[in-house]
Amino acid sequence: MQSRRYPKDRPVFNQGDPVRAVFLVAKGEVRLTRFGPRGEEVILQRARRGDYFAEAALDSGRYHCNAIAAEPSELLEIPAAVLRDLLDRDAAFACQWATLLARQLRTTRARLERMALHGAADRLRHYLATEGSGPRNEVRLGGSLKDLARELGVAHETLYRTLARMEQSGYVERDGARLRLSAARRRV
Amino acid sequence: MQSRRYPKDRPVFNQGDPVRAVFLVAKGEVRLTRFGPRGEEVILQRARRGDYFAEAALDSGRYHCNAIAAEPSELLEIPAAVLRDLLDRDAAFACQWATLLARQLRTTRARLERMALHGAADRLRHYLATEGSGPRNEVRLGGSLKDLARELGVAHETLYRTLARMEQSGYVERDGARLRLSAARRRV
DNA sequence: CGTCGCATTGATATCGCTCAAATCCGGTGG
DNA sequence: CCACCGGATTTGAGCGATATCAATGCGACG
């Protein structure tokens, strides 16, 4: 297992390449894409820090999409053979791997559910409800509000406005990198 | 492990129920849903013949969504305790289990990326690109167009209009329950 | 037949995206 | 110390796409 750096726009692998490894994003962002019938690029996945990608490639012999570093990135590369071997031999590891995948699956489903909501306020509420902790659903923002906006799938301007409105009406509080429901919360 | 029949609209389990089993659809279709803050239903997963569902529930003590039979269905029920035991002991099984989870993860992420698209046409294109098979990305619709609309996260009226426009402009063809890209496809 | 649900089309309102501009803030170099 | 710069944060204006409400046709089914 080794770490490797990729400059911006450097491909990690291309569709059809033989599978050599599974990846974990240590830094940066990698985009998995496929090309539509008219040559337009369709983003299948945006893997950011902490995300695995190409885990499903373990079964198939070749990658079924393209991976390109969207930013200068650092990737932990786990050779497919090593991982397969570990899974075959070490029952405890396979179990842990399954637990990991199950957790990823759960969080991804939560995000899917969030994206099905139409309003920006609804998505933010859902975000606090699922990601927040404590009695007031506090969330520590990892990055900027722009990043949160991308996570929620709304334009950053919309998030600013929505946040302002929700603060105004006493629904949420912001405190630096912290975000939580107000103690005395009202309707939005 | 036992098989069991569910009539249409019979709940398999509800959110908050203690986890008793993981399921495999032998026949029919089961929909996993959760209800939003204003009562709107969100489809988290459509499990059809051959699909497992609630496989991520193994780690958590309670189901976190609702499962309802969308058609008269036959389900193979695998008690959670049995599965946990298998995972602990049988490395080969654990490996296959991980493969299964990885596949689910991949399709869920594809849906997540789809929901990140803003236009109804974009979502439909993405749907064909990811779910379709063959040179023309053909998809067999499992249910009604309304169901597809819910799957895509758009109002059914919007889907009708979008479909009509895309057919009009020669981008897609509809043929009963089949949907595919046109042979001679043009711009949208 | 009557009813129910799907499919379709029309009209309208609303929400969020886009473009634009101003401010703030931390870092950097002179 | 200060000027400068890039990125984040805000606020404004306008527009387009979609949700929503509404009405109709149609087929299945009892």
Side-chain angles (χ1 to χ4, degrees), chain A residues 34 37-38 40 42-46 52 55-56 59 64 87-88 91 94-95 97-99 101-102 104-106 108-109 111-113 115-118 122 153, chain B residues 34 38 40 42 44-45 55-56 59 64 88 91 94-95 97-99 101-102 104-106 108-109 111-113 115-116 118 125-126 129-130 153 171 181 185:
Chain A
R34 252 158 71 180
R38 292 195 321 267
E40 76 276 20
V42 178
I43 298 182
L44 294 181
Q45 187 189 349
R46 287 161 59 167
Y52 283 87
E55 336 80 314
D59 324 312
H64 59 286
L87 285 174
D88 276 340
C95 200
W97 183 250
T99 300
L101 289 175
Q104 293 262 338
L105 190 53
R106 261 202 307 273
T108 305
R109 286 206 182 124
R111 287 178 58 187
L112 182 62
E113 183 185 354
M115 295 297 283
L117 301 176
H118 293 137
D122 284 338
Chain B
R34 226 188 278 180
R38 287 196 311 273
E40 72 277 20
V42 177
L44 295 182
Q45 189 186 352
E55 73 282 52
D59 318 311
H64 54 286
D88 278 338
C95 192
W97 187 249
T99 299
L101 288 177
Q104 291 272 336
L105 188 55
R106 196 172 35 148
T108 304
R109 286 215 266 241
R111 289 184 59 191
L112 185 61
E113 286 299 330
M115 295 297 283
H118 291 160
R125 270 194 292 270
H126 186 281
T130 55
Y171 188 82
L181 297 174
R185 69 189 77 107

Side-chain angles (χ1 to χ4, degrees), chain B:
Chain B
M1 192 187 319
Q2 83 183 71
S3 175
R4 199 161 150 188
R5 290 175 183 281
Y6 290 84
K8 181 173 160 63
D9 295 331
R10 164 78 55 88
V12 179
F13 56 76
N14 289 304
Q15 186 169 356
D17 288 351
V19 171
R20 68 169 202 276
V22 167
F23 303 84
L24 171 61
V25 181
K27 187 159 160 279
E29 175 175 328
V30 174
R31 297 198 183 162
L32 305 188
T33 65
R34 226 188 278 180
F35 290 93
R38 287 196 311 273
E40 72 277 20
E41 196 175 13
V42 177
I43 298 183
L44 295 182
Q45 189 186 352
R46 287 170 57 172
R48 301 182 224 179
R49 217 186 65 165
D51 291 335
Y52 284 88
F53 65 91
E55 73 282 52
L58 253 198
D59 318 311
S60 57
R62 294 180 178 276
Y63 294 113
H64 54 286
C65 60
N66 308 289
I68 296 185
E71 309 170 6
S73 302
E74 194 172 327
L75 306 182
L76 217 58
E77 309 194 356
I78 309 158
V82 171
L83 186 52
R84 249 189 291 259
D85 199 53
L86 262 177
L87 283 175
D88 278 338
R89 299 177 182 218
D90 189 340
F93 178 81
C95 192
Q96 283 189 348
W97 187 249
T99 299
L100 203 80
L101 288 177
R103 185 170 307 134
Q104 291 272 336
L105 188 55
R106 196 172 35 148
T107 64
T108 304
R109 286 215 266 241
R111 289 184 59 191
L112 185 61
E113 286 299 330
R114 186 183 309 144
M115 295 297 283
L117 301 175
H118 291 160
D122 284 337
R123 291 197 187 165
L124 188 55
R125 270 194 292 270
H126 186 281
Y127 183 76
L128 290 176
T130 55
E131 306 286 328
S133 56
R136 293 168 60 183
N137 294 83
E138 183 166 307
V139 168
R140 272 188 61 86
L141 299 180
S144 62
L145 286 181
K146 274 181 88 167
D147 291 330
L148 178 59
R150 250 192 336 182
E151 162 94 13
L152 295 181
V154 300
H156 59 278
E157 298 98 324
T158 302
L159 178 61
Y160 294 138
R161 286 187 249 262
T162 303
L163 253 179
R165 229 176 302 132
M166 292 172 87
E167 279 184 296
Q168 194 70 30
S169 60
Y171 188 82
V172 299
E173 286 173 5
R174 223 187 327 169
D175 170 23
R178 281 195 180 79
L179 198 61
R180 73 178 90 84
L181 297 174
S182 284
R185 69 189 77 107
R186 296 183 298 167
R187 300 184 58 78
V188 177

Side-chain angles (χ1 to χ4, degrees), chain A residues 151-169:
Chain A
E151 163 89 17
L152 295 181
V154 300
H156 60 278
E157 297 98 323
T158 302
L159 178 61
Y160 292 137
R161 284 188 250 262
T162 303
L163 252 180
R165 227 175 304 129
M166 291 172 88
E167 279 184 296
Q168 195 69 31
S169 60

Side-chain angles (χ1 to χ4, degrees), chain A residues 9-155:
Chain A
D9 295 332
R10 163 78 55 85
V12 179
F13 56 75
N14 289 304
Q15 186 169 354
D17 287 350
V19 171
R20 69 168 202 277
V22 167
F23 302 84
L24 172 62
V25 181
K27 187 159 160 279
E29 175 175 327
V30 174
R31 297 204 180 155
L32 305 186
T33 64
R34 252 158 71 180
F35 290 94
R38 292 195 321 267
E40 76 276 20
E41 198 172 14
V42 178
I43 298 182
L44 294 181
Q45 187 189 349
R46 287 161 59 167
R48 303 182 220 176
R49 216 187 63 163
D51 291 334
Y52 283 87
F53 65 91
E55 336 80 314
L58 259 194
D59 324 312
S60 56
R62 294 176 179 279
Y63 294 113
H64 59 286
C65 60
N66 309 287
I68 295 184
E71 310 170 4
S73 302
E74 195 172 328
L75 307 182
L76 216 59
E77 308 194 356
I78 309 157
V82 170
L83 187 51
R84 245 189 295 258
D85 198 54
L86 261 177
L87 285 174
D88 276 340
R89 297 177 182 220
D90 189 341
F93 177 81
C95 200
Q96 283 189 348
W97 183 250
T99 300
L100 192 83
L101 289 175
R103 186 169 306 134
Q104 293 262 338
L105 190 53
R106 261 202 307 273
T107 65
T108 305
R109 286 206 182 124
R111 287 178 58 187
L112 182 62
E113 183 185 354
R114 186 180 310 140
M115 295 297 283
L117 301 176
H118 293 137
D122 284 338
R123 291 197 187 166
L124 187 55
R125 270 194 292 270
H126 185 280
Y127 182 76
L128 290 176
T130 55
E131 307 285 329
S133 55
R136 293 169 61 185
N137 294 84
E138 183 166 307
V139 168
R140 273 188 60 87
L141 299 180
S144 62
L145 286 180
K146 274 180 90 168
D147 292 330
L148 178 60
R150 237 184 357 174
E151 163 89 17
L152 295 181
V154 300

